[in-house]
PDB file of all heavy atoms in Angstrom:
ATOM      1  N   ASN A 187     -20.192  16.819   5.636  1.00  0.00           N
ATOM      2  CA  ASN A 187     -19.784  17.967   6.438  1.00  0.00           C
ATOM      3  C   ASN A 187     -20.968  18.684   7.065  1.00  0.00           C
ATOM      4  O   ASN A 187     -20.869  19.193   8.190  1.00  0.00           O
ATOM      5  CB  ASN A 187     -18.958  18.927   5.583  1.00  0.00           C
ATOM      6  CG  ASN A 187     -17.533  18.461   5.418  1.00  0.00           C
ATOM      7  OD1 ASN A 187     -16.689  18.694   6.274  1.00  0.00           O
ATOM      8  ND2 ASN A 187     -17.255  17.778   4.320  1.00  0.00           N
ATOM      9  N   ALA A 188     -22.089  18.739   6.357  1.00  0.00           N
ATOM     10  CA  ALA A 188     -23.278  19.353   6.953  1.00  0.00           C
ATOM     11  C   ALA A 188     -23.696  18.590   8.218  1.00  0.00           C
ATOM     12  O   ALA A 188     -23.945  19.197   9.271  1.00  0.00           O
ATOM     13  CB  ALA A 188     -24.418  19.358   5.937  1.00  0.00           C
ATOM     14  N   LEU A 189     -23.757  17.271   8.126  1.00  0.00           N
ATOM     15  CA  LEU A 189     -24.126  16.460   9.290  1.00  0.00           C
ATOM     16  C   LEU A 189     -23.079  16.559  10.392  1.00  0.00           C
ATOM     17  O   LEU A 189     -23.407  16.634  11.592  1.00  0.00           O
ATOM     18  CB  LEU A 189     -24.292  15.002   8.861  1.00  0.00           C
ATOM     19  CG  LEU A 189     -25.487  14.708   7.945  1.00  0.00           C
ATOM     20  CD1 LEU A 189     -25.335  13.336   7.284  1.00  0.00           C
ATOM     21  CD2 LEU A 189     -26.793  14.780   8.722  1.00  0.00           C
ATOM     22  N   LEU A 190     -21.814  16.576  10.006  1.00  0.00           N
ATOM     23  CA  LEU A 190     -20.720  16.616  10.977  1.00  0.00           C
ATOM     24  C   LEU A 190     -20.713  17.923  11.763  1.00  0.00           C
ATOM     25  O   LEU A 190     -20.620  17.927  12.999  1.00  0.00           O
ATOM     26  CB  LEU A 190     -19.386  16.426  10.245  1.00  0.00           C
ATOM     27  CG  LEU A 190     -18.110  16.411  11.078  1.00  0.00           C
ATOM     28  CD1 LEU A 190     -18.134  15.268  12.070  1.00  0.00           C
ATOM     29  CD2 LEU A 190     -16.894  16.301  10.169  1.00  0.00           C
ATOM     30  N   PHE A 191     -20.839  19.038  11.064  1.00  0.00           N
ATOM     31  CA  PHE A 191     -20.755  20.332  11.739  1.00  0.00           C
ATOM     32  C   PHE A 191     -21.994  20.599  12.598  1.00  0.00           C
ATOM     33  O   PHE A 191     -21.881  21.185  13.670  1.00  0.00           O
ATOM     34  CB  PHE A 191     -20.563  21.444  10.707  1.00  0.00           C
ATOM     35  CG  PHE A 191     -19.129  21.647  10.296  1.00  0.00           C
ATOM     36  CD1 PHE A 191     -18.380  20.605   9.788  1.00  0.00           C
ATOM     37  CD2 PHE A 191     -18.532  22.888  10.420  1.00  0.00           C
ATOM     38  CE1 PHE A 191     -17.064  20.777   9.410  1.00  0.00           C
ATOM     39  CE2 PHE A 191     -17.206  23.089  10.045  1.00  0.00           C
ATOM     40  CZ  PHE A 191     -16.464  22.025   9.534  1.00  0.00           C
ATOM     41  N   VAL A 192     -23.175  20.187  12.122  1.00  0.00           N
ATOM     42  CA  VAL A 192     -24.374  20.359  12.939  1.00  0.00           C
ATOM     43  C   VAL A 192     -24.304  19.450  14.160  1.00  0.00           C
ATOM     44  O   VAL A 192     -24.615  19.860  15.289  1.00  0.00           O
ATOM     45  CB  VAL A 192     -25.644  20.063  12.121  1.00  0.00           C
ATOM     46  CG1 VAL A 192     -26.882  20.096  13.020  1.00  0.00           C
ATOM     47  CG2 VAL A 192     -25.806  21.092  10.999  1.00  0.00           C
ATOM     48  N   GLY A 193     -23.861  18.205  13.977  1.00  0.00           N
ATOM     49  CA  GLY A 193     -23.768  17.268  15.092  1.00  0.00           C
ATOM     50  C   GLY A 193     -22.797  17.701  16.160  1.00  0.00           C
ATOM     51  O   GLY A 193     -23.007  17.432  17.355  1.00  0.00           O
ATOM     52  N   GLN A 194     -21.721  18.392  15.780  1.00  0.00           N
ATOM     53  CA  GLN A 194     -20.720  18.832  16.749  1.00  0.00           C
ATOM     54  C   GLN A 194     -21.258  19.854  17.741  1.00  0.00           C
ATOM     55  O   GLN A 194     -20.648  20.077  18.793  1.00  0.00           O
ATOM     56  CB  GLN A 194     -19.517  19.429  16.023  1.00  0.00           C
ATOM     57  CG  GLN A 194     -18.541  18.399  15.485  1.00  0.00           C
ATOM     58  CD  GLN A 194     -17.296  19.055  14.920  1.00  0.00           C
ATOM     59  OE1 GLN A 194     -17.252  19.416  13.760  1.00  0.00           O
ATOM     60  NE2 GLN A 194     -16.289  19.213  15.749  1.00  0.00           N
ATOM     61  N   GLN A 195     -22.387  20.472  17.430  1.00  0.00           N
ATOM     62  CA  GLN A 195     -22.974  21.437  18.368  1.00  0.00           C
ATOM     63  C   GLN A 195     -23.473  20.773  19.643  1.00  0.00           C
ATOM     64  O   GLN A 195     -23.577  21.413  20.690  1.00  0.00           O
ATOM     65  CB  GLN A 195     -24.161  22.145  17.718  1.00  0.00           C
ATOM     66  CG  GLN A 195     -23.820  23.005  16.524  1.00  0.00           C
ATOM     67  CD  GLN A 195     -25.070  23.661  15.992  1.00  0.00           C
ATOM     68  OE1 GLN A 195     -25.300  24.863  16.155  1.00  0.00           O
ATOM     69  NE2 GLN A 195     -25.917  22.881  15.373  1.00  0.00           N
ATOM     70  N   TYR A 196     -23.822  19.488  19.562  1.00  0.00           N
ATOM     71  CA  TYR A 196     -24.518  18.826  20.647  1.00  0.00           C
ATOM     72  C   TYR A 196     -23.622  17.947  21.517  1.00  0.00           C
ATOM     73  O   TYR A 196     -24.050  17.468  22.568  1.00  0.00           O
ATOM     74  CB  TYR A 196     -25.650  17.951  20.088  1.00  0.00           C
ATOM     75  CG  TYR A 196     -26.678  18.711  19.298  1.00  0.00           C
ATOM     76  CD1 TYR A 196     -26.611  18.779  17.906  1.00  0.00           C
ATOM     77  CD2 TYR A 196     -27.716  19.385  19.933  1.00  0.00           C
ATOM     78  CE1 TYR A 196     -27.548  19.474  17.171  1.00  0.00           C
ATOM     79  CE2 TYR A 196     -28.665  20.082  19.216  1.00  0.00           C
ATOM     80  CZ  TYR A 196     -28.578  20.125  17.828  1.00  0.00           C
ATOM     81  OH  TYR A 196     -29.511  20.835  17.102  1.00  0.00           O
ATOM     82  N   VAL A 197     -22.397  17.699  21.078  1.00  0.00           N
ATOM     83  CA  VAL A 197     -21.520  16.779  21.807  1.00  0.00           C
ATOM     84  C   VAL A 197     -20.133  17.389  21.939  1.00  0.00           C
ATOM     85  O   VAL A 197     -19.802  18.382  21.305  1.00  0.00           O
ATOM     86  CB  VAL A 197     -21.404  15.422  21.081  1.00  0.00           C
ATOM     87  CG1 VAL A 197     -22.757  14.737  20.972  1.00  0.00           C
ATOM     88  CG2 VAL A 197     -20.784  15.587  19.696  1.00  0.00           C
ATOM     89  N   THR A 198     -19.317  16.752  22.771  1.00  0.00           N
ATOM     90  CA  THR A 198     -17.934  17.190  22.918  1.00  0.00           C
ATOM     91  C   THR A 198     -17.111  16.751  21.703  1.00  0.00           C
ATOM     92  O   THR A 198     -17.528  15.890  20.923  1.00  0.00           O
ATOM     93  CB  THR A 198     -17.308  16.578  24.177  1.00  0.00           C
ATOM     94  OG1 THR A 198     -17.246  15.152  24.019  1.00  0.00           O
ATOM     95  CG2 THR A 198     -18.121  16.915  25.420  1.00  0.00           C
ATOM     96  N   SER A 199     -15.923  17.324  21.575  1.00  0.00           N
ATOM     97  CA  SER A 199     -15.036  16.934  20.482  1.00  0.00           C
ATOM     98  C   SER A 199     -14.651  15.467  20.577  1.00  0.00           C
ATOM     99  O   SER A 199     -14.490  14.787  19.561  1.00  0.00           O
ATOM    100  CB  SER A 199     -13.768  17.801  20.500  1.00  0.00           C
ATOM    101  OG  SER A 199     -14.088  19.157  20.284  1.00  0.00           O
ATOM    102  N   GLY A 200     -14.499  14.971  21.826  1.00  0.00           N
ATOM    103  CA  GLY A 200     -14.148  13.565  22.016  1.00  0.00           C
ATOM    104  C   GLY A 200     -15.207  12.623  21.503  1.00  0.00           C
ATOM    105  O   GLY A 200     -14.907  11.635  20.821  1.00  0.00           O
ATOM    106  N   VAL A 201     -16.454  12.908  21.807  1.00  0.00           N
ATOM    107  CA  VAL A 201     -17.555  12.078  21.311  1.00  0.00           C
ATOM    108  C   VAL A 201     -17.629  12.153  19.789  1.00  0.00           C
ATOM    109  O   VAL A 201     -17.811  11.134  19.106  1.00  0.00           O
ATOM    110  CB  VAL A 201     -18.893  12.520  21.947  1.00  0.00           C
ATOM    111  CG1 VAL A 201     -20.063  11.809  21.277  1.00  0.00           C
ATOM    112  CG2 VAL A 201     -18.894  12.232  23.443  1.00  0.00           C
TER     113      VAL A 201
END
Side-chain angles (χ1 to χ4, degrees):
N187 281 277
L189 292 164
L190 181 61
F191 276 56
V192 174
Q194 279 187 272
Q195 296 181 107
Y196 300 97
V197 299
T198 65
S199 297
V201 171

